[in-house]
Amino acid sequence: MAKKKTRTKTNTGKKSTKFSFKLNRQQKVVLGSFLMLFGLALSVAFISFLFNWEVDQSTLGEFSNREVETKNWLSKFGASVSDFFMYKGFGVAAFIFSILVSYSGFHLFLGVKSTKLRESWFWGILIMLWLAIFFGFFAAKNPLLGGRIGYEMNDFLQDYLGFFGTILLMLFLFIAYLSLRLKLTPELIGGFVKSKKESLNKEFQSNKEEISATEEETDWKEQVAPKQEKPAEKTSAEIKLEKTPPKEEIPSPSPKPAKKEDSGEVEMEVETTEEEEVEEDKISNKIVKDFGEFDPTLELSNYKFPTLELLQEYGGGITVDQEELEEHKNRIVDTLKNYKIEIAQIKATVGPTVTLYEIVPEAGIRISKIKNLEDDIALSLSALGIRIIAPIPGKGTIGIEVPNKNSTIVSMRSVIASPKFQNAEMELPMALGKTISNETFVVDLAKMPHMLMAGATGQGKSVGLNAILTSLLYSKHPAEVKFVLVDPKKVELTLFNKIERHYLAKLPDSGDAIITDNTKVINTLNSLCIEMDDRYELLKNAMVRNIKEYNVKFKARKLNPEEGHKFLPYIVLVVDEFADLIMTAGKEVETPIARLAQLARAIGIHLIIATQRPSVNVITGIIKANFPARIAFRVTSKIDSRTILDGQGADQLIGRGDMLFTQGNELKRLQCAFVDTPEVDKITEFIGSQKAYPEAHQLPAYEADDSGTGVDIDVSERDKLFREAAEVIVTAQQGSASLLQRKLKLGYNRAGRIIDQLEAAGIVGPFEGSKARQVLVTDLAALDQLLNEE
């Protein structure tokens, strides 16, 4: 015989019936068309009333008399409504009311979901009141300008503030509207005027130079021409070291140092060239024009890219120290000789921070033997950061990286000005810095598709993030890319607030676009997951596989916007200090990050995550598997290096922007491009001073759900330790599973089930993320009373 279980519900009586009013699509069409036409009728009546109001005043009291005629275009109805809204109301400012009515009907008719409709009504009514009071100054000449309300409010203000006081108050409200609603500040206006002035001056100077071209200019060009004869492609300084027979002379096209009598002495020749820079600033004059009739940049068609003058040039090119190279070469050769390792050939490449010595050992020498001498070579060279690559991928040589005594700063300007970056045909080009051979290193974020960045404090992560963002600002129009910036430290990415309405994306009705609060981070990540799902739905309906094919089809006008199709910009999520988010939010952050990393590549959402502590509990296996591109700055231990790179090397870097980059295959050692805070400030100021979109790019709205059970649990199914656990929780006034684990010596799963039962009983509150649950019972007496009532 089955037992009949009795369920006791403690939440009975708390439920309330809420009345909800929701229109279906057909009702919205009917109501929307009515409001649109009604607003249009109001506008027609108001316009007619401006010309005929004096004549129609005498007919207003005889509305029911059909023999009385009015001059208003909408007859008696138009005259009566216009008299109410204009003569007795707000004057000419009443036109704003008719516009708001039509605007609301338009949104209902098209079925457009707008979160700004209430805001439009709020600001519209305020503007209507302000205009009515303003025109109240002129009510003596024409009472229709401000209406009765405008005249009375103006008269009331003048009684208490006087004429000049009222003017000052109206001026203050006007300035407040410009600042709060239109986001206009003196800096933005000044920057806009300054940029216009500079562009006019440059145009004037260029026209002046073209007109004043003389024979002297031609002579100058002829003198400069010979300097361009040397090859521009060669970007490294090379040293060739070869063993020479004792009594033979090998002819050489370039002069060499005098040979010594020792036949085993190695000789070297050094030549260096600098990477050619593009003199013309192509990016500053660039306007994105793609095929097809639709141009996504049309709304900001006058947008100008930042100029190279905003970036600073640090120092000159690479200087080759012949004595230093000779000294390092001799010590490497001597150290290897001491261990009976003969060298057949040596080649050295001088970079901005590190010199790479490539050695070819004699036949029969084991590579592992040289690899094990890493510490001995570092000792003989008295240098930090010695790294041996045995062998170099794609070459039959062994590499020894030795830091230069005098390193060269790689400026962001030299990287941006390089032909490799300006001529890059990439979706999201990023100029990270320069390689050991002094070549600009440019990669495409869209092909990575996500990147993980790690390094100890002060080793260059923040500068690396700024370099990535600067690269994208110099190459992509605001219509093509949007940034979602997460900065738990609240100070690293704040400069990018100035470009909020150009490049940033945020949740609807949120304050700052730079996300610093952990709750907003969770909501934003889940919002990006919604955006990802919506974009996949658009791709499915368009029958394409990725965002590039979709945008090409949309530009060619093969997709109908009335069916929800729109141009999709790339979205780049940048998270600084990921470890802090994992520590405070845990799975709530890791789950959407992992989902985005797995699926978001095809629809143009790319992730860049930076952390100081690349430990396995922060960078989990799921995250590592979906972040093939890694950047490692200097870390403190080999374990951290293995975590981020799956190998050693990051612990042997020398810091200050020295980094290793991998995209799933070989490691490349780079010197990160340096961009200082004042440079970023100038760039964001230049962009922020230009015409922008009305607001930041809106992400889909997301409301977090409570993670509690929300379901009553049968009293008979409660744990045996339920009451004891309830007493522990009430006594400590702390609702957490970890407390029950310690006090009652329970496992995590059992403690979690008891917490759910306590929530169902009304003893603790719902789940609140990383915070402990709220205890709803104040003392043990109240607990006994609650449990006895069940």
Side-chain angles (χ1 to χ4, degrees):
M1 181 174 169
K3 290 184 179 180
K4 186 176 180 181
K5 296 184 179 179
T6 304
R7 294 182 177 268
T8 304
K9 296 189 176 183
T10 59
N11 291 331
T12 305
K14 294 184 180 180
K15 297 180 181 178
S16 60
T17 305
K18 293 184 178 179
F19 175 75
S20 61
F21 179 73
K22 193 172 183 180
L23 299 175
N24 59 30
R25 185 71 189 99
Q26 292 77 17
Q27 291 170 335
K28 286 182 180 179
V29 170
V30 174
L31 180 59
S33 60
F34 170 75
L35 291 177
M36 280 195 297
L37 297 176
F38 181 67
L40 180 62
L42 288 178
S43 299
V44 172
F46 293 166
I47 293 172
S48 177
F49 195 71
L50 290 174
F51 302 103
N52 305 313
W53 69 277
E54 293 178 342
V55 179
D56 291 342
Q57 285 291 96
S58 59
T59 64
L60 294 174
E62 302 181 8
F63 186 86
S64 60
N65 189 353
R66 297 180 63 181
E67 296 180 358
V68 177
E69 296 182 357
T70 61
K71 297 289 184 180
N72 196 285
W73 297 339
L74 292 185
S75 191
K76 294 179 182 179
F77 171 77
S80 301
V81 170
S82 301
D83 179 70
F84 176 78
F85 280 102
M86 297 186 72
Y87 188 82
K88 296 178 181 177
F90 303 95
V92 295
F95 278 98
I96 294 177
F97 178 78
S98 65
I99 293 172
L100 289 172
V101 171
S102 296
Y103 178 71
S104 302
F106 177 76
H107 276 269
L108 281 173
F109 185 79
L110 294 181
V112 179
K113 294 182 180 180
S114 175
T115 59
K116 298 296 181 182
L117 200 57
R118 290 184 183 178
E119 187 177 346
S120 300
W121 273 91
F122 173 78
W123 288 106
I125 292 173
L126 288 183
I127 295 171
M128 188 166 64
L129 289 172
W130 189 92
L131 287 174
I133 297 172
F134 175 76
F135 286 122
F137 286 108
F138 312 102
K141 296 182 180 180
N142 189 345
L144 199 62
L145 289 176
R148 186 174 295 173
I149 291 178
Y151 172 77
E152 293 295 341
M153 293 182 71
N154 185 290
D155 188 58
F156 175 80
L157 290 174
Q158 290 196 46
D159 286 344
Y160 286 92
L161 299 177
F163 178 76
F164 289 105
T166 304
I167 290 179
L168 292 176
L169 177 63
M170 298 293 287
L171 181 62
F172 167 74
L173 294 176
F174 179 71
I175 294 173
Y177 175 78
L178 292 179
S179 178
L180 297 176
R181 175 63 173 163
L182 303 181
K183 302 289 196 310
L184 290 179
T185 60
E187 292 82 7
L188 288 178
I189 298 173
F192 177 77
V193 174
K194 184 179 178 182
S195 63
K196 288 291 183 184
K197 184 178 178 182
E198 289 178 354
S199 63
L200 288 175
N201 288 336
K202 288 181 181 179
E203 186 175 352
F204 174 76
Q205 290 293 338
S206 62
N207 293 336
K208 184 177 178 182
E209 290 174 1
E210 289 178 5
I211 295 172
S212 60
T214 60
E215 294 180 358
E216 294 180 2
E217 184 179 359
T218 306
D219 294 339
W220 177 80
K221 290 180 180 178
E222 291 177 355
Q223 293 173 4
V224 174
K227 295 183 180 179
Q228 299 177 351
E229 291 177 2
K230 62 183 180 180
E233 296 298 323
K234 194 166 185 180
T235 58
S236 65
E238 297 185 352
I239 305 169
K240 294 182 179 178
L241 302 117
E242 298 179 353
K243 272 194 173 181
T244 56
K247 295 183 180 180
E248 285 187 37
E249 288 197 10
I250 300 176
S252 174
S254 58
K256 294 186 178 180
K259 296 186 178 181
K260 297 184 180 179
E261 294 181 359
D262 185 5
S263 60
E265 183 62 26
V266 181
E267 300 169 1
M268 71 175 68
E269 62 178 270
V270 179
E271 59 181 56
T272 178
T273 57
E274 287 299 321
E275 185 172 11
E276 182 183 353
E277 291 188 4
V278 175
E279 295 180 4
E280 180 186 1
D281 189 6
K282 294 180 181 178
I283 295 178
S284 62
N285 300 321
K286 177 182 174 187
I287 299 176
V288 180
K289 290 181 180 178
D290 211 335
F291 58 87
E293 297 179 5
F294 176 76
D295 184 6
T297 67
L298 195 60
E299 189 173 352
L300 296 183
S301 57
N302 295 325
Y303 174 80
K304 292 189 176 180
F305 284 80
T307 60
L308 289 177
E309 286 72 19
L310 299 173
L311 296 171
Q312 187 175 345
E313 185 66 64
Y314 294 93
I318 294 177
T319 57
V320 178
D321 188 342
Q322 183 71 41
E323 293 182 0
E324 180 183 346
L325 294 174
E326 185 76 26
E327 180 184 357
H328 284 173
K329 178 265 302 182
N330 291 334
R331 290 188 176 182
I332 290 174
V333 172
D334 293 341
T335 303
L336 295 177
K337 276 185 178 179
N338 291 337
Y339 292 91
K340 298 179 181 180
I341 298 175
E342 298 293 333
I343 299 174
Q345 185 181 355
I346 297 181
K347 174 186 173 183
T349 307
V350 181
T353 307
V354 175
T355 298
L356 173 65
Y357 293 87
E358 296 181 50
I359 64 174
V360 179
E362 293 281 5
I365 302 296
R366 297 180 63 182
I367 294 177
S368 59
K369 194 173 182 181
I370 300 177
K371 179 66 177 175
N372 294 333
L373 296 178
E374 191 169 33
D375 295 334
D376 299 280
I377 296 175
L379 177 63
S380 65
L381 296 175
S382 303
L384 296 173
I386 299 293
R387 179 169 167 264
I388 293 182
I389 311 168
I392 297 178
K395 296 183 180 181
T397 59
I398 296 172
I400 302 176
E401 294 175 348
V402 182
N404 299 334
K405 291 181 179 178
N406 298 316
S407 59
T408 303
I409 297 177
V410 175
S411 66
M412 196 70 202
R413 176 168 180 163
S414 64
V415 172
I416 295 291
S418 65
K420 195 167 185 180
F421 178 76
Q422 294 210 8
N423 300 329
E425 296 182 358
M426 300 178 179
E427 295 299 316
L428 295 173
M430 299 189 309
L432 298 180
K434 292 193 175 183
T435 63
I436 290 178
S437 57
N438 200 37
E439 294 178 353
T440 300
F441 189 76
V442 183
V443 289
D444 190 358
L445 178 61
K447 293 182 178 178
M448 287 185 178
H450 312 294
M451 188 166 68
L452 196 59
M453 184 184 297
T457 304
Q459 303 303 320
K461 288 193 311 302
S462 298
V463 175
L465 288 177
N466 286 338
I468 291 171
L469 293 173
T470 301
S471 301
L472 296 175
L473 292 179
Y474 267 88
S475 59
K476 306 305 290 184
H477 190 276
E480 298 175 314
V481 64
K482 301 296 179 183
F483 301 122
V484 178
L485 303 181
V486 178
D487 183 13
K489 289 192 284 189
K490 304 181 181 181
V491 294
E492 296 293 346
L493 302 174
T494 51
L495 289 175
F496 294 94
N497 261 327
K498 298 177 183 177
I499 59 172
E500 173 181 339
R501 292 189 295 150
H502 289 87
Y503 281 99
L504 300 190
K506 65 178 183 179
L507 290 172
D509 301 325
S510 63
D512 294 334
I514 311 294
I515 306 164
T516 56
D517 183 58
N518 285 346
T519 303
K520 291 184 179 179
V521 174
I522 297 168
N523 293 343
T524 302
L525 292 175
N526 286 286
S527 174
L528 285 174
C529 290
I530 297 173
E531 174 76 11
M532 177 182 69
D533 295 335
D534 293 344
R535 289 193 173 196
Y536 268 118
E537 189 67 25
L538 291 176
L539 263 62
K540 184 188 76 171
N541 296 335
M543 291 184 289
V544 294
R545 295 184 302 171
N546 55 54
I547 186 175
K548 188 175 181 180
E549 296 176 3
Y550 178 88
N551 284 335
V552 167
K553 208 169 183 179
F554 185 82
K555 289 178 184 178
R557 299 192 181 277
K558 295 180 180 179
L559 300 174
N560 190 353
E562 294 183 359
E563 297 177 359
H565 292 291
K566 58 186 176 180
F567 180 81
L568 299 179
Y570 285 93
I571 297 177
V572 179
L573 170 64
V574 179
V575 180
D576 190 15
E577 202 46 63
F578 183 64
D580 181 69
L581 296 179
I582 291 294
M583 289 172 61
T584 54
K587 290 289 183 183
E588 293 178 276
V589 168
E590 183 183 348
T591 302
I593 285 281
R595 188 161 182 261
L596 288 171
Q598 289 170 342
L599 300 175
R601 172 182 185 174
I603 44 84
I605 299 178
H606 303 281
L607 282 60
I608 300 175
I609 291 179
T611 180
Q612 287 183 6
R613 193 164 54 90
S615 53
V616 291
N617 61 332
V618 174
I619 304 174
T620 60
I622 296 177
I623 292 178
K624 283 182 65 175
N626 292 284
F627 283 78
R630 320 267 178 83
I631 288 181
F633 292 91
R634 188 171 185 268
V635 294
T636 54
S637 68
K638 293 183 179 180
I639 297 175
D640 289 344
S641 178
R642 290 193 191 98
T643 304
I644 182 67
L645 295 176
D646 296 324
Q648 298 182 15
D651 56 312
Q652 296 166 325
L653 300 175
I654 60 174
R656 295 179 61 85
D658 189 19
M659 68 182 191
L660 291 173
F661 173 83
T662 179
Q663 203 168 342
N665 38 35
E666 61 176 310
L667 284 175
K668 289 184 179 292
R669 190 166 185 174
L670 309 173
Q671 177 62 35
C672 181
F674 180 70
V675 53
D676 205 359
T677 303
E679 297 175 73
V680 178
D681 192 22
K682 289 179 183 177
I683 295 169
T684 54
E685 186 71 35
F686 179 86
I687 296 173
S689 64
Q690 301 184 57
K691 178 185 175 183
Y693 296 107
E695 58 187 3
H697 183 76
Q698 298 293 306
L699 296 174
Y702 174 80
E703 295 182 1
D705 297 327
D706 289 338
S707 298
T709 59
V711 178
D712 293 331
I713 297 177
D714 195 338
V715 175
S716 62
E717 296 178 355
R718 287 177 178 173
D719 194 280
K720 295 179 180 179
L721 296 177
F722 174 82
R723 188 179 185 91
E724 187 177 351
E727 293 175 354
V728 170
I729 293 293
V730 172
T731 303
Q733 286 294 302
Q734 180 183 351
S736 67
S738 59
L739 177 65
L740 296 181
Q741 288 181 265
R742 296 194 305 271
K743 295 291 186 181
L744 302 180
K745 298 179 181 179
L746 303 176
Y748 178 78
N749 293 333
R750 187 178 181 185
R753 284 195 300 270
I754 294 177
I755 286 290
D756 291 339
Q757 294 168 7
L758 292 172
E759 179 188 352
I763 298 173
V764 297
F767 182 75
E768 298 182 8
S770 59
K771 296 167 59 178
R773 294 175 184 249
Q774 182 182 1
V775 181
L776 304 178
V777 180
T778 56
D779 50 32
L780 294 177
L783 175 64
D784 292 336
Q785 183 179 357
L786 176 65
L787 296 178
N788 292 332
E789 289 176 355
E790 295 181 349

